[in-house]
Amino acid sequence: MTSTTNQTGADNTTGTTGTTGTTGANRASTSWEGLVTSALLGTDRRTPPAEIMVPGKEAATALLDAAALHTVRRRAGLLPAHAAARPDPAPGDDRRPLPEPAVRRLTQLLADRSASGGGGGGRRGAAPDLTELLPQWLAAANEHGYRAPASVLPGLLDAARARTDLRPQALTFAGARGLWLARLNPEWKFALRGASGGSVLPDTQDAESVRLLWEEGLFAERIALLSALRVRDAQAGAEARAGARSQARPGASRHALTLLDSTWSTERAEDRLMFLDSLRTGLSGTDEPFLERALSDRSRNVRSTAAELLSALPLSAFAERMAARAGTCVSMDRTGAGQVIMVEAPHECDADMQRDGVIPAAPSGRGERSWWLGQLVEAAPLSAWPAALGGRTPEAIVALPVLDGWADELHAAWCRAAVRQRDARWSAALLGPPTASPATASGTPSLAERAKLLDTLPSAERASWVAAFIDAHGLSEAFQLLGVCAVPWAEPLGRAVVDALDIARDAGSYPWSFSGVMGLAERCLDPAEASRLELLTATPDEPEDASPGAGGYWSEAFQRLVSTLRLRESMLTELARP
């Protein structure tokens, strides 16, 4: 075959000499595109070029023979592509190296994909589910300030791509090198707009470098930069409040907001929303003017988020406006003994209310007036209600009867306000005693809402409340509440969960009904509980009315719980090594 210099030359090659002869030359003159067209349409609809046809040979066979010849010629005629420019070297990472036992453990966790489905008591066997331990391992490694070994970065990014719950911790652990590697593989592009941990940030005092990164950096890097500047602004504000104005950095105050404001009008709506959401950390009165301007944003979601953030500032003008509006709707009934709350919902949603984030159109099945009332009460500062309702405490206010069936609506709005404003006292008052049935709790029938209220309480108080709830109601309604408790669970909470599981086992039911709680126990119980739980790994005698084989299944479940606790203890020990 004649030598070629490029693909076009290969297509124009005149063929080989000898046995191929004229037929080879004719086949060589046929274009590759013509052959592909005939193959796609079929030889019945598109007759192959006459020059490839051979007497006595079917058209389809002749077409395939010609295609085979062209394929060899095209491959032989290709020149190597020009080498692409080498990427810039990966940035350095000065965090602590990961101890070798922890490296082996992480490799094992990343490689274990077979046990990724369905944790807890629904699984068979006593082997721990390693994939469910990966989030806890990453959190502990980040707390110790370790850097990810280069060899695990591909597996780490693959795991984060498959599981969104891993991404914040995984990207923080991967660091700047992880982001560098993610730029080289389209499958890891999520990392470039994901969590900001690991970005290499310039010195926040270097104004030019800060400006360049803000204007040209990846979204994750810009979020990280904004967060770093917020921390610096907070430190400068603390110095000023302490009277050390001479030590405060020049221009530090509100630097982050100034930077954000400089490009705000040109940002995409979804980016504006995420930038605004990042202001939750370190939210203070200095953010109020910017948030007030965001109330007029062209994006409804941005306006709603700005209103939510302003409502978390009880001294803001927005909070005062909402308190005044809510105060005209909720008051003590003056016609009787003054011991009853009276509600008069708004009759309209005017332009000023809409600018302050009140959505005029009610959801399907919801009355407009109750919809508007709920939004006003939710956005009003909770600190305004004691004075407005006779100087009563939150506990006394929640206990007051409400006229005309407005109690559930009013209490539900107060629940949302307590969650938004992170007010632990109001949350405790609205939760009520843990012994009360969720079905009869005014304003908080939903366990999801109760979980949100619990999340505002101090961790010890939260654990005690949930432990008492389990003692009163069992595990069937406690799963969502357990999910907001600090890990490892406090000793009273851990004992309440284990005792409830033991009671369920003695009742003769299958453990599958408690698979979610068992999976949480594997991840959240204090590893020190493993020795105490050994007694539960034995197969119990089954009562006559027990489900067949339930005792054996429970034994497996408790064996898995014990082995998982011991594995967690080993993991933490490996990470704690100097």
Side-chain angles (χ1 to χ4, degrees):
M1 183 176 290
T2 306
S3 176
T4 57
T5 57
N6 53 42
Q7 185 170 317
T8 303
D11 287 339
N12 292 331
T13 304
T14 57
T16 59
T17 59
T19 58
T20 304
T22 305
T23 302
N26 289 340
R27 290 179 183 174
S29 65
T30 304
S31 71
W32 174 258
E33 289 75 14
L35 295 177
V36 171
T37 301
S38 295
L40 289 175
L41 296 178
T43 56
D44 292 339
R45 298 179 60 189
R46 173 66 64 87
T47 303
E51 58 267 23
I52 73 168
M53 299 302 294
V54 177
K57 185 179 289 188
E58 294 183 356
T61 304
L63 176 64
L64 292 175
D65 288 345
L69 178 63
H70 267 274
T71 299
V72 174
R73 292 175 54 252
R74 286 166 61 86
R75 290 177 178 175
L78 287 175
L79 287 176
H82 292 291
R86 297 180 64 181
D88 294 332
D93 192 336
D94 58 1
R95 292 178 295 175
R96 301 166 59 195
L98 193 64
E100 189 57 36
V103 175
R104 292 194 295 269
R105 181 74 66 190
L106 176 59
T107 303
Q108 180 187 22
L109 295 178
L110 290 173
D112 187 72
R113 303 295 178 92
S114 60
S116 59
R123 300 195 319 272
R124 292 304 309 274
D129 184 352
L130 300 185
T131 58
E132 290 305 311
L133 297 180
L134 185 55
Q136 194 169 120
W137 189 98
L138 289 171
N142 288 331
E143 288 177 4
H144 285 289
Y146 290 121
R147 68 169 178 263
S151 60
V152 306
L153 287 177
L156 192 63
L157 289 171
D158 280 339
R161 178 171 64 92
R163 289 180 56 179
T164 55
D165 63 307
L166 288 178
R167 290 181 182 178
Q169 294 285 6
L171 294 180
T172 297
F173 183 58
R177 290 182 174 181
L179 290 180
W180 174 87
L181 188 61
R183 293 186 181 96
L184 305 179
N185 186 345
E187 292 188 350
W188 298 330
K189 62 182 180 181
F190 71 89
L192 306 182
R193 291 187 61 83
S196 56
S199 298
V200 178
L201 301 178
D203 184 351
T204 55
Q205 297 297 314
D206 187 344
E208 182 60 20
S209 296
V210 166
R211 183 189 65 80
L212 285 175
L213 183 61
W214 180 254
E215 295 179 354
E216 301 175 6
L218 299 169
F219 183 77
E221 293 171 331
R222 300 177 74 204
I223 285 285
L225 177 62
L226 188 65
S227 299
L229 291 172
R230 294 276 292 176
V231 171
R232 194 188 81 169
D233 292 352
Q235 292 173 345
E239 290 173 356
R241 287 191 296 273
R245 297 183 183 274
S246 60
Q247 299 177 18
R249 301 179 181 92
S253 179
R254 302 183 65 226
H255 190 183
L257 290 179
T258 301
L259 196 66
L260 182 58
D261 197 34
S262 67
T263 59
W264 182 257
S265 61
T266 61
E267 304 285 358
R268 300 186 307 169
E270 55 266 37
D271 290 350
R272 294 200 306 277
L273 181 61
M274 293 189 70
F275 283 134
L276 204 60
D277 197 62
S278 71
L279 300 184
R280 296 180 189 276
T281 302
L283 185 68
S284 68
T286 58
D287 300 316
E288 182 180 357
F290 180 84
L291 294 175
E292 278 284 349
R293 293 195 298 274
L295 288 174
S296 302
D297 193 89
R298 55 188 180 274
S299 166
R300 172 178 163 180
N301 289 334
V302 172
R303 294 195 301 271
S304 297
T305 302
E308 180 183 346
L309 293 175
L310 282 167
S311 68
L313 297 173
L315 301 180
S316 65
F318 172 90
E320 291 181 3
R321 296 194 298 269
M322 285 302 190
R325 291 177 180 128
T328 63
C329 300
V330 181
S331 60
M332 299 303 299
D333 179 22
R334 302 303 180 188
T335 61
Q339 301 298 315
V340 180
I341 293 178
M342 178 180 64
V343 174
E344 180 67 25
H347 291 274
E348 65 173 342
C349 183
D350 58 34
D352 288 338
M353 288 170 60
Q354 293 182 44
R355 181 188 178 275
D356 281 345
V358 179
I359 301 172
S364 177
R366 182 82 179 272
E368 282 187 334
R369 295 183 65 199
S370 65
W371 172 244
W372 299 333
L373 173 72
Q375 293 180 78
L376 294 181
V377 174
E378 177 182 356
L382 291 166
S383 57
W385 291 113
L389 299 178
R392 293 175 171 82
T393 64
E395 295 79 6
I397 291 174
V398 171
L400 288 172
V402 183
L403 292 175
D404 302 327
W406 284 101
D408 286 348
E409 185 70 48
L410 182 60
H411 285 207
W414 277 334
C415 287
R416 296 192 297 273
V419 172
R420 178 184 291 189
Q421 299 172 36
R422 308 294 300 175
D423 193 307
R425 184 171 183 183
W426 270 89
S427 292
L430 290 160
L431 277 168
T435 53
S437 171
T440 60
S442 178
T444 57
S446 165
L447 285 170
E449 290 298 323
R450 282 192 158 195
K452 292 178 182 178
L453 290 170
L454 278 169
D455 195 39
T456 68
L457 302 183
S459 59
E461 185 178 348
R462 195 185 319 160
S464 297
W465 197 97
V466 177
F469 182 92
I470 292 172
D471 288 341
H473 308 291
L475 287 172
S476 59
E477 296 182 333
F479 180 75
Q480 285 180 295
L481 307 182
L482 287 168
V484 299
C485 293
V487 178
W489 287 337
E491 192 271 343
L493 177 57
R495 285 186 178 272
V497 171
V498 172
D499 290 346
L501 289 171
D502 195 17
I503 291 171
R505 182 187 65 164
D506 291 343
S509 61
Y510 287 120
W512 306 321
S513 300
F514 304 93
S515 60
V517 174
M518 186 66 81
L520 275 178
E522 291 176 13
R523 300 188 295 275
C524 302
L525 268 177
D526 190 331
E529 294 288 312
S531 298
R532 189 175 69 86
L533 296 175
E534 281 281 5
L535 294 174
L536 301 178
T537 61
T539 302
D541 296 330
E542 296 183 0
E544 293 183 359
D545 57 346
S547 302
Y553 295 139
W554 275 108
S555 177
E556 284 185 356
F558 279 116
Q559 288 174 32
R560 183 172 54 254
L561 175 57
V562 170
S563 60
T564 302
L565 293 179
R566 288 181 171 152
L567 178 58
R568 283 176 52 213
E569 186 173 29
S570 297
M571 281 171 30
L572 298 177
T573 300
E574 293 163 357
L575 289 169
R577 291 184 178 182

